[in-house]
């Protein structure tokens, strides 16, 4: 053996880096290996949802999120100054502005902000980080790479996993002539995951039926093409939100070639087929093809091998859900795997990883499938699209879909009827001027006591090494509750009395010693 580690994470994208940071924060010896020699700058997801923003905020990265969001808004400012189309039509003619701004989209059908009830309780106490939603994948990866370096996580590029053997005690991993012995191996290596394939995970699902192309280009001839998401008789296209960003969706089957670089001629042809407008692309800055291949492994763990992100589930990129889903996997898995490695919790804690994350993945797969169905060009699908467009122009429907897409409705089934349990903790200002989210930077859980109960704090004191015991008052009046919050920010228990805390503490925080 050349070296020994607690965990080897395969893949240095945002999911692998987030997981590595979570493990290192908990004192785990983790190594990241990456096949690529440099970060992948191909255009990908352009934003994050509420759970991801909150998770990063809890680790002290809210200022970086704010800066990345501001930079994205600056890039978009030029195109936002132009007239913005606001209807889902079958024309490329620009439309006069009718709504103030978009609040997202479903299958390219816009959700207008003035139709979304921002006062709905689901949007309460989310914290300031959720305002920084335009954080693209490359910016997030750079942010997490800097965080990993700060925490001392070694990231080795140009290293490809060629094989491994799980003997039930650990995993021997071959990287060419180099061998690494690890207690655990985690594949965060994308939709074509080597780890998933070598481990023999099942990967059931649906075959693709679309070809999508997304690119950032320099072009002429599109000056009169409508901005935003647009429907045409031959497909779907997007122009913007930053200058030169285009996306086309054609319903003629998957691409014959996913490997060769996307050329300007290919993009010009696709753009003309979908929009009816002939453009000239002088430079392709970044471009990619995608499909709606939709698959999910039944169990995210097989022995001492685990999967996270696209290695565990693939789907179309509509709504940018893949990045968000993967970061959610990493945040859920990190503290649990660390607790098992450190001997605080039994391996059975890892069973909750699949149990909690798999249903969220299933939901994302279903919602991406539904969006593809609404993009089809046959008369029945177009009739359904018209109906859904009308529905999304109502307050109730727009609010519900916005809640779903933003992730604020995500909740794990932890066996409690309490509406707070299983959800991300609310974020609010405390009497000392701090926010609740600021008390998770160390990676520990939090016992928040708003009831001033010495008995409750005494009961939790044996776990003080793994918990911050926070006895305080809210800055604004709130119901006097106590909450046990896991390191991933999920509320595990809440009550006005200590009842039930004696069960929740060992369940989620293991041995107090």
């Amino acid at each position: 053996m050349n070296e020994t580690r607690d965990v080897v994470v395969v893949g240095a994208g945002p999911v692998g880096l987030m997981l590595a940071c979570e493990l290192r924060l908990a004192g785990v010896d983790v190594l990241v290996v990456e096949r690529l020699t440099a970060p992948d700058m191909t255009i990908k997801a352009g934003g994050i949802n509420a759970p991801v923003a909150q998770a990063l905020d809890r680790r002290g990265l809210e200022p970086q999120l704010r800066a990345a969001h501001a930079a994205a808004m600056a890039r978009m400012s030029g195109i936002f100054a132009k007239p913005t189309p606001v209807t889902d039509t079958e024309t490329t003619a620009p439309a006069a502005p009718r709504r103030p701004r978009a609040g997202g989209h479903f299958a390219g059908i816009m959700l207008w902000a003035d139709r979304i009830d921002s006062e709905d309780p689901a949007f309460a106490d989310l914290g300031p980080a959720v305002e920084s939603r335009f954080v693209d994948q490359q910016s997030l990866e750079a942010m997490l790479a800097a965080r990993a370096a700060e925490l001392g996580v070694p990231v080795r590029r140009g290293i490809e996993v060629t094989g491994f053997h799980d003997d039930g005690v650990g995993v021997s991993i071959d990287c060419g002539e180099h061998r690494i012995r690890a207690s655990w191996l985690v594949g965060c290596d994308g939709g074509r995951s080597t780890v998933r394939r070598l481990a023999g995970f099942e990967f059931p699902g649906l075959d693709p039926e679309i070809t999508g192309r997304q690119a950032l280009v320099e072009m002429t001839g599109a000056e009169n093409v409508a901005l935003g998401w647009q429907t045409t008789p031959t497909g779907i296209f997007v122009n913007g939100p930053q200058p030169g960003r285009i996306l086309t969706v054609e319903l003629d089957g998957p691409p014959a070639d996913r490997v060769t670089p996307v050329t300007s001629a290919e993009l010009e042809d696709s753009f003309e087929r979908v929009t009816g407008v002939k453009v000239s692309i002088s430079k392709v800055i970044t471009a990619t093809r995608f499909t709606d291949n939709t698959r999910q492994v039944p169990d995210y763990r097989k022995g001492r091998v685990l999967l996270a992100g696209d290695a565990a589930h693939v789907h179309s990129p509509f709504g940018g859900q893949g990045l968000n889903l993967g970061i959610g996997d990493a945040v859920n898995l990190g503290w649990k795997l660390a607790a098992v490695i450190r001997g605080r919790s039994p391996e059975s804690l890892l069973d909750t990883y699949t149990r909690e994350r798999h249903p969220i993945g299933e939901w994302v797969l279903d919602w991406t499938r539904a969006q593809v169905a609404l993009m089809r060009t046959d008369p029945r699908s177009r009739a359904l699209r018209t109906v859904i467009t009308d529905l999304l122009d109502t307050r109730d429907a727009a609010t519900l879909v916005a809640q779903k897409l933003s992730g604020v409705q995500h909740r794990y089934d932890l066996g409690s009827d309490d509406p707070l349990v299983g959800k991300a903790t609310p974020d609010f200002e405390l009497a000392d001027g701090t926010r609740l989210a600021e008390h998770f930077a160390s990676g520990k859980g939090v016992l928040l006591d708003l009831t001033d109960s010495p008995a409750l704090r005494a009961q939790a004191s044996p776990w003080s090494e793994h918990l911050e015991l926070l006895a305080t008052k809210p800055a604004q009046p709130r119901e006097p509750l106590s909450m046990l919050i896991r390191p991933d920010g999920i509320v595990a228990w809440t009550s006005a009395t200590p009842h039930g805390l004696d069960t929740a503490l060992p369940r989620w925080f293991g041995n107090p010693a």
Side-chain angles (χ1 to χ4, degrees), residues 3 39 43 77 90 127 135 154 164 195 302-303 343 349 358 366 392 416 420 460 477 485-486:
E3 63 180 303
I43 186 169
S77 61
E90 295 198 357
V135 179
F164 56 81
V195 174
K302 191 171 185 179
L349 180 64
H358 198 279
D366 278 346
L392 292 181
S416 172
L420 275 177
I485 309 166
R486 305 186 324 191

Side-chain angles (χ1 to χ4, degrees), residues 191 203 206 210 290-296 309-310 312-326 360-361 363-369 371-372:
F203 204 36
L206 297 181
I210 71 168
F290 63 87
T291 74
D292 60 326
N293 184 32
T294 312
R295 301 182 182 279
Q296 185 179 26
D310 288 350
H313 36 69
V314 294
H315 50 82
S316 74
F318 301 127
Q321 292 291 333
L323 174 63
N324 296 307
L325 187 57
I360 305 292
W363 170 81
V364 169
L365 265 62
D366 278 346
W367 272 56
T368 57
R369 289 182 186 118
Q371 291 182 75
V372 170

